[in-house]
Amino acid sequence: MFVRTQRLTLRPGWREDAAELARAIGHETVVRNLGRAPWPYPIEAAETFVASFDDPAEPKFLIFEHLEGCMRLIGGIAIGKLKEDPHELGYWLTPDAWGRGYATEAARATLGAAQARGIRRVTAGHYVDNPASGRVLRKLGFRPTGRIEPSYSRARGCDVPTARFEIDLGGAETVDNDPRARMAA
């Protein structure tokens, strides 16, 4: 599945994306805020990650920015199983894409794809020392649960306090999809 927004294309990862993926995610400031990514981030990790796009039912995408007629890989986003939560939102952006609203735009489109697949409840979390992710979640309509839980960060090699959030996609707080977003199977 592909999803197109005004400024982004979200699509599955392909083997040919591995080198560009390794460059985009290969910043300590990025992977320190992720649970599963190692630091340093080797090309082998990128190759393994792009090979994991095998479940068409799972909303999982690489994020590409449209810039002057070209597309550039700037991040990744998915809704998948994490521990006991069957639908956990996770995302990352390369540092030079921060502060442009791309995380919100990509997440809104991904939540719309999840909603179209019948997913109704999505959870998320952010490390408490990464408040920018909390602002993105709030913009999307996620509600804080009031829980702070330890979550393991592979890059940091330890548990990190994590603020937990949730959203009900079937209720009154349904995602305000960008009407310009288009999905293609």
Side-chain angles (χ1 to χ4, degrees), residues 9-164:
T9 293
L10 283 62
R11 69 159 171 81
W14 300 330
R15 185 172 15 126
E16 298 83 5
D17 296 321
E20 191 176 0
L21 170 62
R23 279 190 299 277
I25 197 172
H27 303 270
E28 187 176 12
T29 55
V30 172
V31 297
R32 72 183 309 276
N33 290 315
L34 303 175
R36 301 175 187 162
W39 179 253
Y41 194 89
I43 187 70
E44 295 82 11
E47 291 166 345
T48 299
F49 184 73
V50 296
S52 73
F53 285 79
D54 56 0
D55 184 354
E58 183 179 64
K60 182 176 182 180
F61 308 102
L62 292 179
I63 304 168
F64 291 84
E65 161 189 59
H66 310 151
L67 191 62
E68 299 173 4
C70 296
M71 286 183 23
R72 177 179 75 109
L73 195 157
I74 61 166
I77 190 162
I79 296 176
K81 183 166 177 49
L82 181 67
K83 298 180 187 173
E84 68 278 351
D85 290 317
H87 302 113
E88 172 88 2
L89 173 70
Y91 62 88
W92 62 271
L93 291 175
T94 198
D96 70 359
W98 293 353
R100 297 186 196 175
Y102 288 153
T104 304
E105 186 173 333
R108 186 168 283 127
T110 302
L111 289 167
Q115 189 175 28
R117 289 183 166 112
I119 296 171
R120 295 294 170 245
R121 181 179 175 273
V122 178
T123 58
H126 72 87
Y127 295 152
V128 295
D129 61 0
N130 181 18
S133 280
R135 288 189 294 275
V136 169
L137 295 173
R138 283 180 178 87
K139 281 186 215 174
L140 293 165
F142 277 82
R143 293 181 322 274
T145 65
R147 296 188 329 264
I148 305 288
E149 300 174 350
S151 294
Y152 187 74
S153 168
R154 184 173 172 195
R156 297 185 195 197
C158 64
D159 284 334
V160 181
T162 304
R164 302 296 305 154

Side-chain angles (χ1 to χ4, degrees), residues 2-5 178-184:
F2 287 60
V3 179
R4 170 81 193 235
T5 70
D178 182 340
R180 297 164 294 201
R182 297 186 311 262
M183 286 185 269

